[in-house]
Amino acid sequence: MATVAAVIENIRQELSDEYNTRWNNAQLIRFISQAVNRAQHVGRRNNLQFLKDKADLVFAPGEFSKPLPDGFLTDIGLWDLKTKAKVSKASEEEWEGSASPQEASQYMLEGSNLVIQSVPASEITLRLRYFKGCDLDTLKQDGAEMPWGGLLDEMILEYASLRARKIDRDESSADLELLKDIENNILSTYGTQSVRVVKGKGWMG
């Protein structure tokens, strides 16, 4: 898996800027962050497998809240590993209107936590499947690694390099075309791994 620093070095080679005379690291990280941010939303919108993850949440008796996993973007579903039943995601109206819900029969996301209703009388394990994104601030840290095991490193590198060239040539209006190109590359490479691929409207849709 490549580090962000290694990707920046490769971008500089693409731009013939090995001596850091045109672009500083903060500018190139911004281009990388733009590509990562758009990639994670394309992946979620099109149900791409590389963006999916799971976490088993163990609730002790009386416990009703667990912090969401690192990198959590949005939930796919929650299942009780013992009964194999899917736990229903409740709206605010359903949650507040439940007079006497069955144990761990509903869940909601509240801030950075997952909460269940009602509290279990004995230990239960619930499996959360979710889309995993990237905390863009982590890309700025020393020794930071590229997200998703490096699957999109080449596409991100290509976008960042082209973005820099377009700015140098004052062609900012062509940014939408670049975004569409990288989206098409992601879908053509990883779309076949998905159970169901939903055609989106593009980066800006």
Side-chain angles (χ1 to χ4, degrees):
M1 183 189 304
T3 62
V4 173
V7 172
I8 288 176
E9 182 179 349
N10 289 334
I11 292 171
R12 292 195 183 282
Q13 292 175 357
E14 288 287 326
L15 299 174
S16 299
D17 187 37
E18 291 90 340
Y19 297 103
N20 304 9
T21 57
R22 173 61 182 92
W23 302 101
N24 59 46
N25 283 354
Q27 291 170 311
L28 297 181
I29 289 175
R30 186 174 74 250
F31 297 150
I32 291 171
S33 297
Q34 289 172 346
V36 168
N37 184 49
R38 287 167 171 119
Q40 64 187 7
H41 290 296
V42 167
R44 176 191 57 79
R45 194 166 63 240
N46 291 277
N47 199 37
L48 300 186
Q49 291 297 121
F50 77 86
L51 205 65
K52 296 180 181 181
D53 207 342
K54 65 182 178 181
D56 291 343
L57 309 178
V58 180
F59 289 81
E63 191 175 20
F64 67 92
S65 179
K66 285 288 184 181
L68 292 168
D70 292 340
F72 177 87
L73 186 61
T74 187
D75 51 324
I76 298 172
L78 187 70
W79 286 264
D80 185 327
L81 289 188
K82 182 178 181 180
T83 65
K84 307 302 181 182
K86 186 174 184 179
V87 182
S88 299
K89 185 177 183 180
S91 66
E92 287 81 0
E93 291 79 7
E94 292 169 333
W95 185 273
E96 300 299 338
S98 298
S100 54
Q102 294 181 347
E103 180 181 292
S105 60
Q106 295 180 327
Y107 80 98
M108 276 188 64
L109 304 180
E110 290 189 343
S112 59
N113 294 308
L114 182 147
V115 295
I116 58 174
Q117 189 180 51
S118 61
V119 297
S122 58
E123 181 179 284
I124 60 170
T125 302
L126 303 179
R127 173 163 292 173
L128 173 67
R129 291 190 177 272
Y130 62 100
F131 286 103
K132 185 174 184 178
C134 174
D135 181 352
L136 300 182
D137 285 338
T138 64
L139 299 176
K140 304 174 186 177
Q141 298 174 1
D142 292 339
E145 294 184 336
M146 293 295 289
W148 309 307
L151 288 176
L152 301 185
D153 285 3
E154 287 299 320
M155 298 177 196
I156 291 170
L157 185 155
E158 179 184 3
Y159 169 80
S161 301
L162 290 173
R163 185 78 176 89
R165 289 193 182 101
K166 295 293 184 182
I167 288 179
D168 264 348
R169 297 170 187 170
D170 195 23
E171 298 179 35
S172 57
S173 61
D175 191 37
L176 183 60
E177 181 180 347
L178 294 180
L179 296 176
K180 188 62 180 178
D181 285 344
I182 193 174
E183 177 181 3
N184 288 337
N185 288 338
I186 292 172
L187 294 180
S188 64
T189 303
Y190 297 107
T192 56
Q193 298 178 4
S194 301
V195 175
R196 179 176 60 89
V197 176
V198 179
K199 295 296 183 181
K201 296 180 181 179
W203 293 102
M204 309 303 289

